[in-house]
Each structure stands twice: as C-alpha cells, then as structure tokens.
C-alpha cells in the first residue's frame, strides 16, 4: 500500500508513524499517510523560514511567473488530482464536483498572479509625501479542511506566496492525500522551501500554530477548532484569518417564481452534499408559495443520482466521514421527534459508504436544533413564514453570519431585505457563488479576516509607511 509523505524543502520526508485515509463511498483504505512528528514540524517551519527572505527578495514579476507555472501544473495533472479528490473526499468527478474543484484551483492560482499591489500615496502636500508599501509577513501556517481539500488549500497557499511569504500547510486528517499530492506536484516548479507540508490530527495543527516562527495562521473549519487556534496563537501573537463556517439562511419572498428559482436553491443548499460553509442551511419561504417551492425541490432531490462519484451519471456523493454522518443523523432524528415532516429522505442508507439522501424537512420551528445548528450535510429545514420582518428576524438569530441569500422577482425589493441581514455576503437569486476577485469573509462568529481579490492579498502583507520630507536637507 502506498505511503504519502510530506514535502519539506522540496523533498519528500517519511515518518515513523502513519495513519490511514479512507474512501467515504466504499470505506476502503486508500493509502497510508505520514504522521508528522514534533521534529518534522520544526523542520518544515525552519525550511519555510530559511526560504522566505530570498523568495521575498525576488522581483514581484518573478513570483507572479511562478504562480503561472503552478497553475499550468494543476492543469496538466487535473485528471489525476480530480480522481484523488473523488476517492478521498467523495464528491463526484463531474458536475459541481472534483473536476470543478481542480479547475477552480487553477483559477484561484491565476487570479493572484494577475493582481497588482502598487505603492499607495496616502498623503502628500508641499512638505511631505507619505507612501504605503506592502511587505510580506513571513511564514504562513495554513490549515485546510476536508470539504474542499484542494481548493481551500489553494486559497491559502497562492495569495500567500504571491505576496512573498512562504507556507507550511496541514491538510485535514480526513483528506490528506489529495492535498499532499497537489503540493508535491506544484513544489517541483517552485524554489525549495516555499511550500512545505505537515500532516496528522489536531495535535499537529496545535504544534504548528503555537510555533514562535509562525507569522500568520489561515484556517477554515469549525468554530470550536478556531477557538483552539486563537489560544495556540497567543504563544506567538500570529495574525489570523479564520473562516469558521456558518448556518446560512435563504429567504424566499412571496413574489418569487418557484420554478425559476428551484435549481439555484437546490445547488445553493446541496452542492458537495451540503458540506460547504456557505451552503444555504435553513430556508425561509413565504406561506403563499411554500408548498410549491418544496414540491419543486422534492422533484429535484428525487431525480439526482447518488453513489460512488467515480461512476457515470452520479451527481451526489457520500458524507465525507462517519463523525459528520452521525451529526446529520442526530439532527434529523431530533426533528422527527419534534413532529417535523420528512418530505423526502430522512435516513442514512445501509452499506459500506457514508450515504445520506437529500432530505427536506418542513413543519419545523425556528428554535429546533436542525435549524439553529450547522448540520453541514444534505438536510434542509424549510420554515414557513407570513411576514417578511419575521423572516428577517429568524434569519438573523444565532451567532454565525457567513452568508445569506434573498430570492425574488424584484431585485430592488430583494436588495432592501439583503441589507438587513447579518452576513458577510448576501446573494440575490443565487447562493454561495463566490469569485476569486470578490472579497469573502464572515460576520459575527463566522470568523474574521477577508480572503480573495485585492483585499485578501493585502491581508497577507504588513503595511509599511515610508514618509519622505520634501524640505531640503540641512
């Protein structure tokens, strides 16, 4: 059985300890993965620290050229990497699945390569000129999740190195192979030490975050883990960008056309089997069109083939791991016990894989755990409302605020509602549609810091003011 090693200073590094990675559709073991020791974590950080000054000293145009080379490597290896993602994460190859994820990796590599970060003149008069320059921070610790294991790793890596930083990335212990293989491939076209990896469980992540040579931490994942990262970073006062998930509401106004919005709503909720931070996870539908919207969604749910994503025609895969499957099952069973109606789905599917069908739940109160907790799976509670103010109030309940959406035939009316929602991004007549040039980040306890575009790139730099006197030298 193949063992997947870490990449440190451009070379593979084996470990005396390994762990297994599984296929969530079949439960088969895919391979063994090196478990980083404390010594190896230190070696990875030291390699990044050693490489960073020379990398930062390169002309900006040269670093941008390296990113273009990395994007080409991703293109050349797209089929190989997509199959790894399907085997390890579970999303199907086609549709909004693994091939989509790898192409997005290419796009999120090329865009930072195109961005400009010019010197800004922040003040000037007859006596002085004050310029804002942007310098790299140093060594970035990146901790990637299991739901989009290559794409989110790309979000963390590429802007970081574009800005002149070096990176040590830890993939999720549930999906390490694809991320390790992506780094192995792109490291071949980068100078040694620019990207390094460590792998293992949360202990490895904690050791990485608390190291005094880490200058910034980027993390996407749960709020509980985010709090642990904040505690660990108190040792080194590292800067933080934390995307801590959400429980995104979608509000359907009474003038919406159920047939026109059904497909957008469906994929806004169930892309990647609902395992996306910015998926719609609770749906508020006006009573006038509630039944029609639910009927359209039910028709789509029952028509979508689910199974092993390597098979032809499959568009929905498994829940990635048993722990998450248990959460989805628990919340669904609680809804049943409260008297909610299961419109379709409702029970995990027997077999070796972690399959749970698309499940629509109606006749449920807003205070039910299925509504108030982020289920992060293929279950959508649908709450009937009669007054828009009430819908907005329910949507704003809770302590998360990553995304939200409003659906209406009247864009101006939808925009007025959108402005009243507590979320970092509010989409109108779509949900979760991100773009590499559009800043993305959460409100409330969905984290802090921005990613993507110019704002995301700036977040990976240290501003430096150079103040120039115009007075003649004495």
């Amino acid at each position: 059985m193949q063992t997947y090693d870490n990449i440190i200073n451009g070379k593979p590094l084996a470990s005396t300890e390994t762990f297994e990675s599984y296929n969530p559709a079949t439960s088969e073991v895919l391979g063994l993965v090196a478990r980083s020791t404390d010594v190896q974590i230190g070696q990875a950080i030291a390699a990044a620290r050693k490489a960073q000054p020379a990398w930062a000293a390169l002309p900006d145009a040269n670093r941008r050229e390296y990113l273009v080379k990395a994007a080409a490597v991703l293109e050349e290896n797209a089929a190989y990497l997509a199959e790894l993602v399907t085997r390890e994460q579970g999303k199907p190859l086609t549709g909004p699945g693994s091939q989509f994820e790898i192409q997005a990796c290419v796009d999120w590599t090329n865009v930072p390569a195109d961005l400009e970060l010019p010197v800004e003149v922040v003040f000037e008069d007859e006596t002085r000129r004050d310029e804002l320059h942007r310098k790299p921070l140093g060594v970035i610790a990146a901790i990637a999740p299991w739901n989009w294991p290559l794409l989110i790793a790309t979000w963390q890596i590429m802007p970081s190195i574009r800005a002149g930083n070096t990176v040590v990335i830890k993939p999720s212990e549930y999906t390490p192979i694809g991320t390790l293989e992506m780094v192995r491939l792109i490291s071949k076209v980068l100078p040694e030490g620019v990207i390094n990896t460590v792998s293992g469980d949360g202990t490895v992540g904690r050791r990485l975050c608390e190291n005094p040579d880490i200058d910034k931490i980027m993390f996407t994942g749960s709020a509980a883990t985010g709090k642990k990262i904040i505690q660990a970073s108190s040792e080194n006062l590292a800067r933080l960008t934390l995307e801590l998930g959400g429980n995104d509401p979608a509000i359907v106004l009474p003038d919406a056309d159920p047939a026109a919005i059904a497909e957008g709503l469906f994929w806004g909720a169930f892309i990647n089997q609902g395992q996306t931070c910015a998926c719609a996870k609770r749906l508020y539908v006006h009573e006038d069109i509630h039944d029609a919207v639910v009927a359209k969604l039910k028709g789509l749910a029952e028509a979508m083939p689910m199974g092993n994503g390597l098979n032809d025609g499959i568009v929905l895969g498994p829940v990635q791991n048993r722990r998450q499957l248990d959460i989805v099952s628990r919340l669904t069973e609680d809804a049943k016990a409260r008297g909610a109606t299961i419109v379709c789905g409702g029970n995990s599917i027997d077999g070796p894989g972690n399959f749970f069908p698309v499940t629509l739940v109606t006749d449920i109160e807003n205070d039910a755990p299925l509504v108030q907790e982020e289920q992060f799976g293929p279950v959508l509670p649908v709450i009937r409302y009669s007054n828009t103010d009430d819908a907005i109030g329910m949507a704003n309940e809770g302590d998360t605020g990553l995304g939200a959406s409003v659906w209406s035939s009247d864009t101006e009316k939808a925009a007025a509602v959108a402005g009243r929602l507590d979320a970092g991004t509010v989409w109108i007549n779509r949900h979760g549609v991100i773009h590499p040039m559009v800043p993305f980040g959460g409100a409330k306890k969905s984290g802090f810091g921005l990613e993507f575009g110019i704002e995301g790139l700036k977040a990976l730099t240290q501003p430096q003011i150079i103040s120039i006197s115009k007075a003649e030298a004495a």
Side-chain angles (χ1 to χ4, degrees), residues 308-326:
N308 187 329
L310 294 176
N311 296 335
D312 291 340
I314 296 298
V315 296
L316 294 171
V319 174
Q320 200 285 320
N321 56 80
R322 287 284 175 177
R323 178 176 178 274
Q324 193 58 43
L325 181 65
D326 289 344

Side-chain angles (χ1 to χ4, degrees), residues 98-109:
S98 298
Q99 293 171 356
F100 169 84
E101 178 167 355
I102 304 306
Q103 184 55 53
C105 291
V106 175
D107 296 341
W108 257 270
T109 301

